[in-house]
Amino acid sequence: MTDPNLVYTYAVLRRTPEATAAVTHLRGVAGEPIHLVDPAAGTHPLAFAVGHVPAADYDETPLKAHLDDLDWLESTVRSHHAVVAALVGCGAAVLPLRLATVYHDEDSARQALDIRRDYFLSLLHRLTGHLELGVKIYATPDITPPEADTGAGQEQPTGLGAGRAYLSIRRRRQRRNEEAWRTVAQAAAHLTETAAALAVDRVAHSPQRGSLAGPGPGTNVGNDAYLVPADRVDAFRAGVLAAAEGVPGLRVEVTGPWAPYSFALQPEPEPAA
């Protein structure tokens, strides 16, 4: 009889007594208990943190439908992250896997773990003792990207020569905004250099727009992840915020720490069938 469940993998980590204890009471994206899957015959110290989830939700076709359901997606992301965060909390070096990385069964998961053993071990060695922090840089709302400067909402002169006067006002306004934007861009670049000097690695993500940029005011002009030694997290946060303090037109958020999602390349899952 075919097993109606698939194996959902959350992370790669070294099997330790602490990691084994950490998964004992964890529940995953489908409310399933989490456990560790070891390699075949104990050939190396790695393990997958996994749970068994229903194929009716996580097989390829239903999963695609679920990913269009924002409520389902948000709940799944939160549950996935909660498992990873609990593993990080036990002091383990963790390689988080991408959302909905599934295998047909535990033997398939073991095979994937064995195939990428050397890669996982080297990456875990590099990331041990490090966490990820995010730095988001915003230009304040009164400074807009030049291409977004339309002049909307400005008073327009009327009467003789109004067109010429209006164009002159628009040009002056655009020049002031462009100068302010250049100043902010230079300050953001300096802040990025400062943050990079306080970290051991950096991944530049695309600036966010709309609701993804968060509830705060302004235009997101920087959205980077930094790999920081665990014992320097507070110093990193303080250094970045101090560098941004008093810079006109600039607002900065430092988020985290998290598991190093941005620094763990993800293995390709075996297609579920």
Side-chain angles (χ1 to χ4, degrees):
M1 180 178 177
T2 303
D3 188 344
N5 291 327
L6 300 172
V7 176
Y8 185 115
T9 55
Y10 293 86
V12 183
L13 68 165
R14 292 186 182 90
R15 175 182 275 281
T16 63
E18 293 77 14
T20 302
V23 301
T24 301
H25 302 294
L26 289 181
R27 292 294 182 269
V29 295
E32 82 284 7
I34 306 302
H35 64 282
L36 300 182
V37 167
D38 293 319
T43 53
H44 53 81
L46 296 179
F48 273 144
V50 309
H52 287 254
V53 297
D57 285 324
Y58 289 90
D59 206 348
E60 183 177 1
T61 299
L63 180 60
K64 285 181 179 178
H66 280 314
L67 293 177
D68 290 330
D69 181 341
L70 293 183
D71 290 336
W72 185 93
L73 184 59
E74 180 179 3
S75 174
T76 302
V77 168
R78 288 181 183 276
S79 298
H80 181 105
H81 176 67
V83 172
V84 174
L87 295 172
V88 172
C90 80
V94 174
L95 301 182
L97 299 180
R98 66 183 180 183
L99 192 73
T101 299
V102 296
Y103 295 93
H104 294 299
D105 50 39
E106 293 193 2
D107 285 341
S108 298
R110 289 189 181 93
Q111 183 179 12
L113 195 60
D114 287 337
I115 288 172
R116 305 203 71 183
R117 172 190 60 191
D118 293 341
Y119 169 77
F120 286 145
L121 284 171
S122 68
L123 194 52
L124 275 171
H125 177 73
R126 175 175 178 263
L127 297 182
T128 296
H130 294 77
L131 296 167
E132 177 176 330
L133 285 95
V135 175
K136 290 187 176 184
I137 305 174
Y138 297 85
T140 51
D142 57 325
I143 301 174
T144 59
E147 63 272 15
D149 184 10
T150 63
Q154 301 297 309
E155 291 186 9
Q156 299 184 10
T158 58
L160 191 64
R164 183 180 300 173
Y166 173 67
L167 291 176
S168 177
I169 291 171
R170 279 290 308 277
R171 283 194 293 267
R172 288 199 299 270
R173 177 176 178 269
Q174 287 174 346
R175 282 197 296 270
R176 286 196 301 268
N177 185 74
E178 288 169 1
E179 289 170 2
W181 185 261
R182 282 195 294 271
T183 299
V184 165
Q186 291 169 357
H190 175 70
L191 185 62
T192 297
E193 292 176 0
T194 300
L198 295 170
V200 299
D201 202 358
R202 166 180 171 254
V203 171
H205 297 299
S206 298
Q208 296 176 324
R209 296 290 181 262
S211 61
L212 292 176
T219 301
N220 183 211
V221 298
N223 178 34
D224 298 343
Y226 294 87
L227 188 65
V228 180
D231 60 358
R232 286 169 47 192
V233 165
D234 290 341
F236 177 89
R237 189 188 308 275
V240 170
L241 293 178
E245 189 173 357
V247 178
L250 209 64
R251 181 173 66 85
V252 174
E253 292 179 359
V254 180
T255 58
W258 301 299
Y261 285 94
S262 298
F263 303 89
L265 297 180
Q266 311 304 337
E268 292 297 323
E270 176 182 321

